[in-house]
């Protein structure tokens, strides 16, 4: 029994194929590459029931992951994050079957650890010694930490405005970190130059084919956790969009294996911020590619991506699943963040809050039906974003007494 | 089949018993109360194999938890945190079988969520509407969040020096938060007064009997995850010590059920900071109780507890298991934090780093043997403690190039 049933790499645009035993980045045509598996052999040898006795991390799906030797797995116990009912928020939104997959409960507190675990493991398998990447913070933190375990030297470039804690994670992990007075696109250009100058492996979003396989495990888990049914709607905060592409890929693979029905695909929703909504614009205009967004700005920093390399894959996934793309304002998402915390006790990241706010908006306009099973992806822990909560608390001196009439409740 | 096999409350000091259907705080004699279960019935009706198909959260052990009606469970998917091998750090310490249970991967990023989930659920079951507690930050954050889901109003008092992010969690959850210019003991006095003034439920550490049952699940999980064997040594960063008491209680209960052997109990190690080491002092002096520590101070804020109400229970657990108590300096734990992050990719909290540093020290002095299976509890996510990493990164302007000879690696 093979540890992995990986077959080859293929280009979703020009259909060129590539060898998985060699180090690859983009296709010759400039498109990201995707990973193909030996699906017929998998169908014979891999059954859903095999999973029952396995560890509860993303490596339980190793047959559907690209790492070929178990020894190359770099892991911190990531994956199989809980799906929890959000009953009070759901009631408040008139979506009684509202669920959250909480990607805050993962190493480094963000779903980026999935891509890093699989991406770094595969890089190790392919003997990468040095990699570089631009990041809005969380991916750089995750790749730094996993790279340290894999003895890979990581060079990370992030905007000065990226969440401060992500700098600390890179530094603690021993990465070479640089900040740039600009956006992630500017960081990308600096990385591009360094990759050329020093022959580094380019681990930028979708410029290596394996990160998406890590993100794909969210889709595998959603199906397993819903007992091989799928929810009606999945809302995903979309920057580079790798998670959405990955979830779509996972569900297609599970359909091919026959583990989920071919009759129902969840409607995938790409959620963006009003200050950076290139995918929403392209979707509304019926385009296959997105134009770069000018002057991108949002407090939901993880989705502040002006131009996504995988835009055509995101738009395709939304259309094929009869999903949609929608944006919310920063004010709206910050308000929703408070609602979710004070109603259901979940302190989510601003990107996750954007997805909750989008669910509310889509229920209001009728796109989400009352009875839909709706899953929101909270892509990270709220504790990485102290700036989303502005209020301060009163300070007492030793021996002072709490005066009840002065006690203020923040809850509205 | 009962959801819970809870029987009654008992005092470990004077052996008084209390009813679990009534709201109880301390014993009349001033001691914390512990929860007893109907062990004979449990032995008949509850088998380890029952767990196989259950959700991977701490409620999988509901028979051994005090909440009697499933509807009262307040949950965010907490528990069943991963145990990961720390192979590079372990090699570095000459402890090849070094493991970490990572309690950072839990709602609110700290193991305090276990106590909060069970404590708040039971409070809800007992119709509590308002509770109050002093905290060094993380417990207050967790109890605020779970209380919001349970519609319980929470009043939280924490030192001004507590980790800033924990304030934000309390505020986002809608709790009434007060800071105090002092230590947790000063916060405790303010809470004690408010409890009297406003008839609040006192949720202070060990002043209600159920938090420990939540913490106990760490011990249940450790046994299950080690396949009903137990490690040789467990290192636990000790402030109030509820987790250590809980792990010991869990293992005793599992021995009684026959799920783990009575022949082997892990040696439990209470790890403290040199700036606040009352348990270490009492252990070294052979005392049963600890004296309050004067001028307590450490960067590992969660274990900055000058006087633990359960000191005698901690000291008893250490002695009965042939464990020990040991302290480490702030410098040592900060250095260890960097080692763990840059070797194995785990960004741990300072309390967890203290436990790693203690393992190193105990291996050096021979107390830990080369072949021991050693488990370190990392009680929270490093991302809650940005101040543990002081270095800053260089800032580039747009279009600037990374000059390799200027690239500094933080790794030593």
């Amino acid at each position: 029994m093979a540890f992995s049933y990986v077959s080859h790499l293929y280009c979703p645009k020009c259909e060129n194929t590539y060898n998985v035993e060699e180090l690859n980045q983009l296709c010759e045509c400039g498109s990201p590459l995707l990973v193909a598996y030996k699906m017929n052999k998998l169908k014979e040898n891999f059954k859903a029931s095999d999973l029952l006795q396995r560890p509860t991390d993303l490596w339980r799906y190793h047959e559907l992951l690209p790492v070929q030797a178990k020894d190359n797995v770099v892991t911190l116990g990531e994956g199989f994050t809980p799906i929890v009912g959000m009953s009070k928020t759901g009631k408040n939104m008139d979506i009684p079957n509202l669920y959250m997959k909480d990607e805050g409960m993962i190493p480094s507190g963000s779903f980026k650890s999935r891509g890093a675990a699989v991406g770094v493991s595969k890089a190790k398998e392919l003997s990468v010694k040095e990699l570089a990447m631009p990041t809005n913070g969380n991916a750089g933190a995750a790749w730094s930490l996993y790279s340290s375990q894999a003895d890979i030297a990581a060079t990370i470039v992030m905007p000065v405005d990226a969440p401060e804690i992500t700098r600390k994670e890179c530094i603690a992990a021993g990465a070479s970190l640089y900040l740039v007075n600009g956006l992630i696109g500017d960081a990308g250009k600096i990385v591009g130059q360094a990759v050329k100058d020093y022959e580094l492996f380019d681990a930028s979003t979708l410029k290596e084919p394996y990160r998406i396989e890590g993100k794909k495990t969210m889709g595998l888990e959603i199906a397993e956790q819903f007992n091989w049914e799928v929810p009606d709607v999945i809302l995903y905060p979309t920057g580079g969009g790798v998670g959405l592409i990955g979830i779509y890929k996972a569900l297609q693979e599970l359909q091919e294996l026959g583990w989920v029905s071919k009759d129902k695909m969840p409607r995938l929703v790409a959620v963006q911020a009003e200050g950076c909504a290139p995918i929403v614009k392209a979707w509304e205009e019926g385009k296959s590619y997105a134009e770069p967004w000018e002057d991108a700005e949002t407090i939901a920093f993880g989705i502040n991506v002006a131009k996504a390399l995988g835009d055509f894959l995101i738009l395709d996934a939304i259309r094929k699943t009869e999903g949609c793309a929608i944006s919310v304002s920063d004010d709206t998402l910050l308000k929703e963040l408070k609602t979710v915390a004070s109603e259901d006790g979940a302190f989510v990241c601003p990107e996750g809050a954007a997805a909750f706010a989008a669910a509310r908006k889509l229920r209001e306009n009728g796109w989400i039906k009352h009875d839909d099973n709706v899953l929101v992806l909270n892509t990270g822990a709220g504790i990485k974003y102290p700036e989303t909560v502005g209020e301060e608390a009163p300070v007492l001196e030793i021996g002072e007494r709490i005066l009840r009439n002065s006690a203020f409740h923040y809850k509205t």
Side-chain angles (χ1 to χ4, degrees), chain A:
Chain A
M1 299 290 291
F3 186 70
S4 167
Y5 283 72
V6 65
S7 166
H8 61 277
L9 297 171
Y10 69 97
C11 173
K13 211 179 268 183
C14 76
E15 299 185 354
N16 237 332
T17 62
Y18 295 83
N19 190 329
V20 281
E21 320 251 313
E22 289 160 14
L23 209 54
N24 286 288
Q25 306 248 219
L26 293 174
C27 179
E28 285 170 5
C29 80
S31 164
L33 294 173
L34 298 177
V35 181
Y37 294 85
K38 296 166 188 156
M39 296 308 279
N40 288 329
K41 282 203 178 155
L42 260 177
K43 253 188 256 189
E44 276 171 39
N45 296 331
F46 189 30
K47 306 290 170 203
S49 56
D50 294 338
L51 298 172
L52 286 178
Q53 305 275 347
R54 294 196 180 174
T56 49
D57 60 43
L58 61 81
W59 299 101
R60 67 199 272 109
Y61 309 109
H62 58 78
E63 287 91 340
L64 265 174
L65 291 173
V67 179
Q68 290 171 285
K70 195 179 177 185
D71 283 352
N72 291 321
V73 167
V74 178
T75 183
L76 289 162
E78 57 289 331
F80 225 68
T81 56
I83 292 179
V84 287
M86 303 296 282
S87 59
K88 288 169 69 188
T89 306
K91 196 172 175 191
N92 188 279
M93 284 184 189
D94 191 35
I95 306 176
N97 300 310
L98 180 68
Y99 300 91
M100 167 178 70
K101 187 162 176 68
D102 193 353
E103 293 286 306
M105 282 186 251
I106 207 165
S108 92
S110 119
F111 76 134
K112 300 286 183 179
S113 286
R114 292 181 187 268
V118 174
V120 169
S121 295
K122 191 67 190 175
K124 182 182 171 191
E125 187 156 88
L126 294 170
S127 302
V128 168
K129 297 292 172 210
E130 296 187 83
L131 60 78
M133 68 189 302
T135 174
N136 269 340
N138 282 319
W143 282 73
S144 294
L145 288 160
Y146 285 88
S147 291
S148 81
Q149 189 180 127
D151 288 320
I152 293 174
T155 297
I156 309 291
V157 187
M158 67 171 72
V160 287
D161 290 336
E164 206 184 331
I165 187 63
T166 62
R167 297 184 196 174
K168 308 285 187 164
E169 294 175 87
C170 296
I171 292 171
S176 294
L177 173 67
Y178 298 86
L179 307 177
V180 58
N181 250 329
L183 297 181
I184 189 171
D186 305 304
K189 283 170 197 153
I190 291 171
V191 165
Q193 187 62 50
V195 161
K196 278 186 211 152
D197 289 349
Y198 308 114
E199 294 178 18
L200 309 176
F201 181 63
D202 191 341
S204 305
T205 305
L206 292 175
K207 285 193 184 166
E208 63 76 53
Y210 302 107
R211 182 199 290 213
I212 186 176
E213 297 300 301
K215 295 282 187 75
K216 182 180 83 176
T217 58
M218 289 191 288
L220 302 176
E221 291 176 15
I222 290 168
E224 184 178 359
Q225 289 171 306
F226 277 97
N227 204 22
W228 309 111
E229 306 280 332
V230 288
D232 298 299
V233 176
I234 298 177
L235 295 111
Y236 175 83
T238 305
V242 182
L244 189 140
I245 302 166
I247 290 169
Y248 183 53
K249 185 170 189 283
L251 294 174
Q252 287 177 307
E253 288 171 357
L254 291 176
Q255 285 188 345
E256 211 174 327
L257 289 179
W259 293 14
V260 300
S261 161
K262 287 201 180 183
D263 297 338
K264 181 180 166 191
M265 187 61 96
R267 285 130 66 200
L268 299 178
V269 179
V271 178
Q272 300 203 297
E274 285 182 1
C276 181
I279 300 295
V280 177
K281 185 161 181 286
W283 183 74
E284 286 172 350
E285 292 172 354
K287 291 188 178 152
S288 302
Y289 292 85
E291 295 295 310
W293 192 266
E294 302 283 327
D295 302 319
E297 193 178 356
T298 168
I299 191 169
F301 206 76
I303 53 174
N304 198 10
V305 178
K307 170 69 184 170
L309 198 57
D311 53 0
F312 65 104
L313 296 170
I314 302 167
L315 289 159
D316 183 58
I318 295 172
R319 291 212 176 87
K320 293 261 175 69
T321 63
E322 298 176 357
C324 69
I326 183 170
S327 63
V328 297
S329 72
D330 280 8
D331 283 351
T332 306
L333 74 88
L334 286 173
K335 196 173 156 228
E336 198 70 46
L337 190 147
K338 281 283 190 74
T339 301
V340 173
S342 62
E343 292 291 332
D344 281 307
F347 185 38
V348 302
C349 66
E351 297 82 9
F356 277 105
R360 185 185 295 277
K361 218 165 153 177
L362 291 171
R363 176 70 196 102
E364 280 167 5
N365 73 18
W367 192 90
I368 288 177
K369 307 293 174 221
H370 175 81
D371 290 332
D372 280 342
N373 278 302
V374 176
L375 180 71
V376 167
L377 273 158
N378 174 44
T379 47
I383 52 177
K384 296 193 92 170
Y385 302 83
E387 70 285 358
T388 57
V389 181
E391 297 89 334
E392 280 299 338
V395 180
L396 304 176
E397 295 306 319
I398 292 175
E400 212 175 325
R401 187 185 279 228
I402 292 176
L403 294 178
R404 205 64 187 288
N405 51 8
S406 81
F408 57 108
H409 289 257
Y410 300 94
K411 201 158 179 169
T412 47

